[in-house]
Amino acid sequence: MAPIRAAVAGATGYLGMTCTALLAGHPDVVLVRLLSRSHAGRRHSDVVPGSAVDMVLSDGLDPGEVEVVLAALPHAVAAAQAGSWLAGGAVVVDMSADFRLRDVDLYERWYGLQHPACDLAASAVYALPELHAAAVRGADLLAVPGCYPTAALLATVPALKAGLVAPDVIVDAKSGVSGAGRSPSAGTHFSEVNESVHAYGVAGHRHSAEMVQEMSLAAGGAVRVTFVPHLIPMTRGLLATAYLRPLPGVGHEQLRAVYAAFCEGLPCLRLDENPPPTKSVSGTNLAALHVGWQDGVAVVTCAVDNLVKGGAGQAVQAMNLRFGLEETAGLPTRSRWP
Amino acid sequence: MAPIRAAVAGATGYLGMTCTALLAGHPDVVLVRLLSRSHAGRRHSDVVPGSAVDMVLSDGLDPGEVEVVLAALPHAVAAAQAGSWLAGGAVVVDMSADFRLRDVDLYERWYGLQHPACDLAASAVYALPELHAAAVRGADLLAVPGCYPTAALLATVPALKAGLVAPDVIVDAKSGVSGAGRSPSAGTHFSEVNESVHAYGVAGHRHSAEMVQEMSLAAGGAVRVTFVPHLIPMTRGLLATAYLRPLPGVGHEQLRAVYAAFCEGLPCLRLDENPPPTKSVSGTNLAALHVGWQDGVAVVTCAVDNLVKGGAGQAVQAMNLRFGLEETAGLPTRSRWP
Amino acid sequence: MAPIRAAVAGATGYLGMTCTALLAGHPDVVLVRLLSRSHAGRRHSDVVPGSAVDMVLSDGLDPGEVEVVLAALPHAVAAAQAGSWLAGGAVVVDMSADFRLRDVDLYERWYGLQHPACDLAASAVYALPELHAAAVRGADLLAVPGCYPTAALLATVPALKAGLVAPDVIVDAKSGVSGAGRSPSAGTHFSEVNESVHAYGVAGHRHSAEMVQEMSLAAGGAVRVTFVPHLIPMTRGLLATAYLRPLPGVGHEQLRAVYAAFCEGLPCLRLDENPPPTKSVSGTNLAALHVGWQDGVAVVTCAVDNLVKGGAGQAVQAMNLRFGLEETAGLPTRSRWP
Amino acid sequence: MAPIRAAVAGATGYLGMTCTALLAGHPDVVLVRLLSRSHAGRRHSDVVPGSAVDMVLSDGLDPGEVEVVLAALPHAVAAAQAGSWLAGGAVVVDMSADFRLRDVDLYERWYGLQHPACDLAASAVYALPELHAAAVRGADLLAVPGCYPTAALLATVPALKAGLVAPDVIVDAKSGVSGAGRSPSAGTHFSEVNESVHAYGVAGHRHSAEMVQEMSLAAGGAVRVTFVPHLIPMTRGLLATAYLRPLPGVGHEQLRAVYAAFCEGLPCLRLDENPPPTKSVSGTNLAALHVGWQDGVAVVTCAVDNLVKGGAGQAVQAMNLRFGLEETAGLPTRSRWP
């Protein structure tokens, strides 16, 4: 089979460079084009430390040039271009939030702007492969969830889907700093965030809306989500700790069994016997789950690498499904320790 | 007034060395004796990097030699000696868990051993000054709470005491590594914990029992606590994020006002307008609180320095109250940034 | 004695906020004015996390209002204002590089601009108190050296002054990230610098010129300095490792004795028996030295807190000398561990 | 070709687990046996977080069972077994210091014990592939250098071999904490080493002896090496900064050209235009070099991942050469950023 011709848009941000590196090593893909708004004309390896990809960055794509575009752009930017990419015959795997919400009004409320491509939104699939593999295989516009929703949903959906817990969940998440992207700011300044931890988005975070959407879909009814993210002094890794209230009669073993059944056959999930440290999945496309129980409350933790399973790796995983490749092709599933 | 003659027991562990440094700079105290089981005969400054205290460490105390012993020893060790210190006329400020639980059975269940001094337990006061100042002033055996209970209680007690929230709280805590003490182990090995975060004690943590005790006391009825600690790659600092369900009709402003009133006049509490980063209280005896609200759920965060307000500083604060000194004497209340 | 009326210029950068905190706790100083170009009108405590100073920031100073201005401004900015402050009767303690070089041409070459106040340069004193205490006491314009020169000079000058080593030294320095200041940039972005170390300024660093100036002065002849700084993933602290070639016949003990004699009576120097970890002086105004020896080469390390002894603390120390106060007034000399 | 049957001895330490992971993904190798003294009987994946290798650990090897043993054991332990492995027909790739020094007396002096296998020492090859590829191809006992010598030698040997610099070099090295291994100790305790840097081994470090041996061999005469290692608060990565004095008439471009020629055709060397951050080679078997120049002194930096190119990866690279495989088979050469 001829390799799939792919482009990465936004190839020099953290998600984009991770995606580029994964595709450069992917056995069934050939990188045809790397797009960058700010670095066009320079080599990838000159802009990204340690990059072994020395393609020159472009500022545009020719129609028909590629079969798939993986877009790691800020919200609203990818949406504005997705139409032309799709019209040119490419599948679009979008890592932004633009096409994740079914309710465009919600998008416009949270993101404070008019949706740049409402018409396309309806055809998009929420591309969390563990939840929507079949739909992913049949769609041309894939909206890949980011790090927080990925971990929060994998920690809670199995229980909600099985109807074992109350539709009112708390997710306390801890993220490494790379989740905030490559642009320097006070909030990502080493001296400000090192040796410290703090909560943010306490009054409500943009990513809650898609959690509510997907948890409610799984539960078959409205689910209330209280989601509080925290910034942790590490570069990579994200841990979601979900607190779930089991319905009367539900026990720990029953709950664990439901998660075990859910993980069955899913190559990017790992069910651990102890709460997973994020480093045990660092650099991989794995989500590691643990189903704990404390005096009648279920405590489910989910660890991911925020840039891989929480972004670029998941985009590749979705692309693999869409093109009929092996689900984990090109994706690291072995972490390195320490 | 003659300075108070003090001893520190366990002066070379992290709590003990912090306590020693605080007392060495305390205007109303003179350090008379530093006790160490493992380093007796050596100078404090030879065992503790950067210590400016060059007293020789001892392995015992003469009766009557001091007016107060601040003990930073493992559980069961201090309890075994507290009786003789008290008999010698000293006030005992104990940083271990030995005298915190009113119910000795609970102690024996969680710590897996017979209590070494049951008879004394009844006379001990739970020395969280913001909750029990009057009792602290009148007691000779002060059981100072550690870092997790301190942050968890300050985050929840004001709401529970005011009867504004349901008696079922979730506390998700994030602690720096120094909370685990100075003894090397796999769990505190740099290469194992750096660039990672994980939950532990998910099935139940020793410190939950005293949280239940104090929250129930404040609420005037049984409170259920789900408490999950996490290890964070930083040396100092602890953040507790409490999730509270307000009773019907209770609003954000009302809740905030209750916390503001609670903080009034308490020199070691600070009520912030944004979620406090732990570094903003690092090295100080302050607990910084923030009262957040997300779609009907109260999210209260409390940041402390785990070794100061979460241990040695709190012991000094309790001692100050007991001896009629200014509550913050000898205690840093200004952090340094960055 | 009436407290000295002081202003801090640039009070919200890392050096400025450190200076502000030190002066706020200084027993003989009253803070009269905090200047900030970018935050005038806001409170210090709103701009600096954890600050207990709630003065409103100003954009200018009235003549005669203060006796001393401690300026923590970028180079060329302080120099442009120093003249008017001096004319108003204030002593100026400048933490920038503007008045450190006796040779204005060198300044203009390294900093790429015309010196804003050539006329003043001649009257400035290089305010490293351990080298020039007498001159500091008599000057009105004090040029306080920064972190790299402070550590490099304290590590080498004793040997050079005693004529025991060749006039050709290598200084390999390792600095925490806060040395780069509070402005976010790619070079201080957490995700870029964490878990990494690199050299920079290899072809020549601005601060070499003042090292050459002061080492040559001490040696009584030209000294060649090879200086290479490295960025280390920590917030505070700086270590300089100096490699010195002893002249024939010079031994380790003789060299150590010279450093011991140099440290004698200097309250901010500490001579350690083992190579000092930077954390052992963190937060203090101490420089910790160790004189090592490896097969005929002297290896002298000097650890400082880059923001205290390497900047704001040294400025306060110089001010103390100038105003006849105790040299360490208001300066922490005890670090906390861990 | 049938895959090469391999065993790893000491498979649960940091070097051993890294070696195990590399071999598990190696296209031409089959892991037949994992040896562990302390964890025999347990699965690798139960002892090593995130390990995808679920082989049971053994405490011994059958003769003839494998073609190669890669040993990641403490010094003296591997040497005691190497003879029997060799007698059984296996090639031995030893990551300890046991067979690196040609002069057994030097070994005994530095390591303070009698060499357990003097007779074998003579047949061993110093397996730094960039220096001794031909010898590596022909030997059965390969002594792989560790992280410090690898970086120090790659930074200096090209210049020494070309006779361009004086035979008197200074190497200032900065290492991540994982270089100290997996056993917890005060020196690797998170709270002790985080936010700090210090020099150690100032009076002389064991690894200097092999640096002297190999540099002298390259220079064709005695070379004096001053080597000072420093511990840096990061898990992985090592940077060596070498200070070399060019002989009269030698210029920067000439020196750079010599390094460029040296790197030519060597797949694990990368010559950078800027000083490489260690993170740019993290997880890879690359050594990144930069040839700087400061006012007549050459400053060459070399960055490696201490566990890969500085240990386990280099062992695999040497094995590849020995068995006629592609030199980089099974070895990552692309780092991930951030």
Side-chain angles (χ1 to χ4, degrees):
Chain A
M1 194 178 82
I4 293 161
R5 287 168 290 117
V8 176
T12 63
Y14 287 157
L15 283 177
M17 69 174 72
T18 303
C19 193
T20 300
L22 291 171
L23 293 179
H26 195 296
D28 307 312
V29 169
V30 59
L31 267 179
V32 165
R33 190 69 70 191
L34 295 181
L35 301 173
S36 167
R37 293 167 300 159
S38 34
H39 298 293
R42 300 181 62 191
R43 293 188 176 280
H44 194 260
S45 51
D46 290 339
V47 181
V48 176
S51 169
V53 177
D54 63 357
M55 289 173 65
V56 173
L57 297 156
S58 312
D59 57 5
L61 201 59
D62 292 335
E65 190 180 24
V66 298
E67 291 158 87
V68 62
V69 179
L70 296 101
L73 297 165
H75 66 265
V77 177
Q81 301 182 62
S84 71
W85 293 334
L86 288 163
V91 169
V92 175
V93 184
D94 182 22
M95 288 168 246
S96 86
D98 286 344
F99 298 111
R100 294 186 203 146
L101 292 173
R102 297 179 167 209
D103 180 344
V104 169
D105 289 349
L106 264 181
Y107 175 88
E108 300 191 342
R109 197 183 320 150
W110 278 105
Y111 292 87
L113 45 79
Q114 214 184 330
H115 196 289
C118 282
D119 50 322
L120 296 175
S123 69
V125 162
Y126 192 82
L128 184 53
E130 285 75 17
L131 302 190
H132 302 300
V136 166
R137 286 195 185 90
D140 287 340
L141 177 52
L142 303 175
V144 176
C147 47
Y148 282 130
T150 295
L153 292 170
L154 294 174
T156 58
V157 159
L160 290 165
K161 205 168 177 178
L164 298 184
V165 295
D168 189 352
V169 310
I170 286 170
V171 178
D172 184 294
K174 298 92 183 159
S175 174
V177 183
S178 65
R182 199 182 185 188
S183 297
S185 70
T188 59
H189 193 54
F190 187 92
S191 306
E192 302 279 314
V193 300
N194 193 40
E195 274 290 297
S196 199
V197 52
H198 67 275
Y200 65 101
V202 168
H205 188 279
R206 286 169 171 181
H207 292 160
S208 294
E210 52 185 286
M211 294 181 199
V212 169
Q213 167 184 296
E214 295 297 316
M215 289 189 202
S216 299
L217 195 69
V223 173
R224 180 159 90 160
V225 183
T226 304
F227 167 67
V228 179
H230 298 75
L231 196 71
I232 297 294
M234 62 186 194
T235 301
R236 278 169 174 249
L238 185 147
L239 186 75
T241 307
Y243 297 87
L244 304 167
R245 300 192 180 269
L247 296 181
V250 174
H252 188 194
E253 278 321 304
Q254 184 183 1
L255 194 71
R256 240 190 83 88
V258 159
Y259 278 81
F262 184 87
C263 292
E264 195 69 38
L266 297 180
C268 296
L269 295 191
R270 192 181 79 202
L271 187 57
D272 283 3
E273 291 189 27
N274 293 299
T278 54
K279 191 154 63 172
S280 75
V281 295
S282 188
T284 79
N285 201 53
L286 294 177
L289 289 162
H290 175 258
V291 180
W293 189 270
Q294 183 177 137
D295 195 17
V297 175
V299 180
V300 184
T301 49
C302 178
V304 297
D305 182 311
N306 55 307
L307 296 176
V308 187
K309 181 60 181 167
Q314 186 144 268
V316 172
Q317 184 187 358
M319 178 202 75
N320 286 343
L321 287 178
R322 170 60 183 75
F323 285 89
L325 306 173
E326 195 187 351
E327 188 166 348
T328 56
L331 290 171
T333 53
R334 294 169 183 225
S335 71
R336 60 187 195 210
W337 191 274
Chain B
M1 193 179 80
I4 293 161
R5 287 168 288 115
V8 177
T12 63
Y14 287 157
L15 283 178
M17 69 175 72
T18 302
C19 193
T20 300
L22 291 172
L23 293 180
H26 196 296
D28 307 312
V29 169
V30 59
L31 268 179
V32 165
R33 189 69 71 190
L34 296 181
L35 302 173
S36 167
R37 296 167 299 159
S38 35
H39 298 292
R42 301 181 61 191
R43 294 189 175 279
H44 195 259
S45 51
D46 290 338
V47 181
V48 176
S51 168
V53 178
D54 63 358
M55 288 171 67
V56 174
L57 297 157
S58 312
D59 57 6
L61 201 61
D62 291 336
E65 187 179 28
V66 298
E67 290 158 88
V68 61
V69 178
L70 297 100
L73 296 165
H75 64 265
V77 178
Q81 302 182 63
S84 71
W85 294 334
L86 287 164
V91 168
V92 175
V93 184
D94 181 21
M95 290 168 243
S96 85
D98 287 344
F99 298 109
R100 294 186 202 144
L101 292 173
R102 299 179 166 209
D103 181 342
V104 169
D105 288 348
L106 264 180
Y107 176 88
E108 301 191 341
R109 198 185 318 151
W110 278 106
Y111 293 87
L113 45 80
Q114 215 184 330
H115 197 290
C118 282
D119 49 322
L120 295 176
S123 69
V125 161
Y126 192 82
L128 185 54
E130 285 75 17
L131 302 190
H132 301 300
V136 166
R137 285 194 186 90
D140 286 340
L141 177 51
L142 302 175
V144 176
C147 47
Y148 283 131
T150 295
L153 292 171
L154 294 174
T156 58
V157 159
L160 290 165
K161 203 168 180 178
L164 298 185
V165 296
D168 188 351
V169 311
I170 286 170
V171 178
D172 185 293
K174 298 93 182 158
S175 174
V177 183
S178 65
R182 198 181 186 189
S183 297
S185 71
T188 59
H189 194 54
F190 187 92
S191 305
E192 302 279 313
V193 300
N194 193 40
E195 273 290 295
S196 199
V197 52
H198 68 276
Y200 65 100
V202 168
H205 188 279
R206 287 170 171 181
H207 293 160
S208 294
E210 51 185 286
M211 295 180 198
V212 169
Q213 167 184 296
E214 295 297 316
M215 290 188 202
S216 299
L217 195 69
V223 173
R224 180 160 91 160
V225 182
T226 304
F227 167 67
V228 179
H230 297 75
L231 196 71
I232 297 294
M234 61 187 197
T235 301
R236 279 169 175 250
L238 185 147
L239 186 75
T241 308
Y243 298 87
L244 304 167
R245 301 193 181 268
L247 296 181
V250 173
H252 188 194
E253 278 321 304
Q254 184 183 1
L255 194 71
R256 239 189 86 87
V258 160
Y259 279 81
F262 185 88
C263 292
E264 195 70 37
L266 297 181
C268 296
L269 294 190
R270 192 180 79 201
L271 186 58
D272 283 4
E273 291 190 27
N274 293 298
T278 54
K279 190 155 63 172
S280 75
V281 295
S282 188
T284 79
N285 201 53
L286 295 176
L289 289 162
H290 175 257
V291 180
W293 189 271
Q294 183 177 138
D295 196 17
V297 175
V299 180
V300 184
T301 49
C302 179
V304 296
D305 182 310
N306 55 307
L307 296 176
V308 187
K309 181 61 181 168
Q314 186 143 269
V316 173
Q317 184 186 359
M319 178 201 75
N320 286 342
L321 288 178
R322 170 61 182 75
F323 285 90
L325 306 173
E326 196 188 350
E327 188 167 348
T328 56
L331 290 171
T333 52
R334 296 169 181 225
S335 70
R336 60 187 195 212
W337 190 276
Chain C
M1 193 179 82
I4 294 162
R5 287 168 288 116
V8 176
T12 64
Y14 286 157
L15 282 178
M17 68 175 73
T18 303
C19 192
T20 300
L22 291 172
L23 293 179
H26 195 296
D28 307 312
V29 169
V30 59
L31 267 179
V32 165
R33 189 69 71 191
L34 295 181
L35 302 173
S36 166
R37 294 166 301 159
S38 35
H39 298 292
R42 301 181 61 191
R43 292 188 178 281
H44 195 260
S45 51
D46 290 339
V47 180
V48 175
S51 167
V53 178
D54 63 358
M55 288 172 66
V56 174
L57 297 156
S58 313
D59 56 6
L61 200 61
D62 292 335
E65 188 179 26
V66 298
E67 290 157 88
V68 61
V69 178
L70 296 100
L73 296 165
H75 65 265
V77 178
Q81 302 181 63
S84 72
W85 294 334
L86 288 164
V91 169
V92 175
V93 183
D94 181 22
M95 289 169 245
S96 85
D98 286 343
F99 298 110
R100 293 185 202 145
L101 293 173
R102 298 179 166 209
D103 180 343
V104 170
D105 288 348
L106 263 181
Y107 176 88
E108 301 192 342
R109 196 184 320 151
W110 277 106
Y111 292 88
L113 45 78
Q114 215 185 328
H115 197 290
C118 282
D119 50 323
L120 296 175
S123 69
V125 161
Y126 192 82
L128 184 53
E130 285 75 17
L131 303 191
H132 302 300
V136 165
R137 286 196 185 89
D140 287 340
L141 177 52
L142 302 175
V144 175
C147 47
Y148 282 130
T150 295
L153 292 171
L154 294 174
T156 57
V157 159
L160 290 165
K161 204 167 178 178
L164 298 184
V165 296
D168 188 352
V169 309
I170 286 170
V171 178
D172 184 293
K174 299 91 181 160
S175 173
V177 183
S178 65
R182 198 181 185 188
S183 298
S185 70
T188 59
H189 195 54
F190 186 92
S191 306
E192 302 279 313
V193 299
N194 192 40
E195 274 289 295
S196 199
V197 52
H198 67 276
Y200 65 101
V202 168
H205 188 279
R206 286 170 170 180
H207 292 159
S208 295
E210 52 186 286
M211 294 180 199
V212 169
Q213 167 184 296
E214 295 296 317
M215 289 188 202
S216 299
L217 195 67
V223 173
R224 181 160 88 160
V225 182
T226 304
F227 167 67
V228 178
H230 297 76
L231 196 71
I232 297 294
M234 61 185 196
T235 300
R236 278 169 176 251
L238 185 147
L239 186 74
T241 308
Y243 297 87
L244 303 167
R245 301 192 181 269
L247 295 181
V250 174
H252 187 193
E253 278 321 302
Q254 183 184 1
L255 194 71
R256 239 190 86 87
V258 159
Y259 279 81
F262 184 89
C263 292
E264 195 69 38
L266 297 181
C268 295
L269 295 191
R270 192 181 79 203
L271 186 58
D272 283 4
E273 290 189 27
N274 293 299
T278 54
K279 190 154 63 172
S280 75
V281 294
S282 188
T284 79
N285 201 54
L286 294 177
L289 289 162
H290 174 258
V291 180
W293 189 271
Q294 183 177 137
D295 196 17
V297 175
V299 180
V300 183
T301 49
C302 178
V304 297
D305 182 310
N306 54 307
L307 297 176
V308 187
K309 180 60 182 167
Q314 186 144 270
V316 172
Q317 184 187 358
M319 178 201 75
N320 286 343
L321 288 178
R322 171 59 183 74
F323 286 89
L325 306 173
E326 195 188 353
E327 187 167 349
T328 56
L331 291 171
T333 52
R334 297 172 181 223
S335 71
R336 59 189 197 212
W337 190 276
Chain D
M1 195 178 79
I4 294 161
R5 287 169 288 116
V8 176
T12 63
Y14 287 157
L15 283 178
M17 69 174 72
T18 302
C19 193
T20 300
L22 292 172
L23 294 179
H26 195 296
D28 307 312
V29 168
V30 59
L31 268 179
V32 165
R33 190 70 69 190
L34 296 181
L35 303 173
S36 167
R37 295 166 299 160
S38 35
H39 298 292
R42 301 182 62 191
R43 292 187 177 281
H44 194 260
S45 51
D46 290 339
V47 180
V48 176
S51 168
V53 178
D54 62 359
M55 289 172 67
V56 174
L57 297 156
S58 313
D59 56 6
L61 200 60
D62 291 335
E65 189 180 27
V66 298
E67 291 157 88
V68 61
V69 178
L70 296 100
L73 296 166
H75 65 266
V77 178
Q81 302 183 62
S84 71
W85 293 335
L86 287 164
V91 169
V92 174
V93 184
D94 181 21
M95 289 168 244
S96 86
D98 286 343
F99 298 110
R100 293 185 202 146
L101 292 174
R102 298 182 166 207
D103 180 343
V104 169
D105 288 349
L106 264 181
Y107 176 89
E108 302 191 342
R109 197 183 321 151
W110 278 105
Y111 293 88
L113 45 78
Q114 213 185 331
H115 197 290
C118 282
D119 50 322
L120 296 176
S123 69
V125 162
Y126 193 82
L128 184 54
E130 286 74 17
L131 302 191
H132 302 300
V136 166
R137 285 195 186 91
D140 287 341
L141 178 51
L142 302 175
V144 176
C147 47
Y148 282 130
T150 296
L153 292 171
L154 293 173
T156 57
V157 159
L160 290 165
K161 204 169 178 176
L164 299 184
V165 296
D168 188 351
V169 310
I170 286 170
V171 178
D172 184 293
K174 298 93 181 160
S175 174
V177 183
S178 65
R182 199 182 185 187
S183 297
S185 70
T188 60
H189 195 54
F190 187 92
S191 305
E192 302 279 313
V193 299
N194 193 40
E195 274 290 295
S196 200
V197 52
H198 67 277
Y200 65 101
V202 168
H205 187 280
R206 287 171 171 180
H207 292 160
S208 294
E210 50 185 289
M211 295 181 198
V212 169
Q213 168 184 294
E214 295 296 316
M215 290 188 201
S216 299
L217 195 68
V223 173
R224 181 160 91 161
V225 182
T226 304
F227 167 67
V228 178
H230 298 75
L231 196 71
I232 297 293
M234 62 186 195
T235 301
R236 278 170 175 250
L238 185 148
L239 185 74
T241 307
Y243 298 87
L244 304 167
R245 301 194 181 266
L247 296 182
V250 174
H252 188 194
E253 278 322 303
Q254 184 183 1
L255 194 72
R256 239 190 84 87
V258 159
Y259 279 82
F262 185 87
C263 292
E264 195 69 37
L266 296 181
C268 296
L269 294 191
R270 192 180 79 201
L271 186 58
D272 284 4
E273 291 190 27
N274 293 299
T278 53
K279 190 154 65 171
S280 75
V281 295
S282 187
T284 78
N285 201 53
L286 294 177
L289 289 162
H290 174 258
V291 179
W293 189 270
Q294 183 177 137
D295 196 17
V297 175
V299 180
V300 184
T301 49
C302 179
V304 297
D305 183 311
N306 55 307
L307 296 175
V308 187
K309 181 61 180 166
Q314 187 144 270
V316 172
Q317 183 186 358
M319 178 201 75
N320 286 342
L321 287 178
R322 171 59 183 76
F323 285 90
L325 306 173
E326 195 187 351
E327 187 167 348
T328 57
L331 291 171
T333 52
R334 296 170 181 225
S335 71
R336 60 189 196 210
W337 190 273

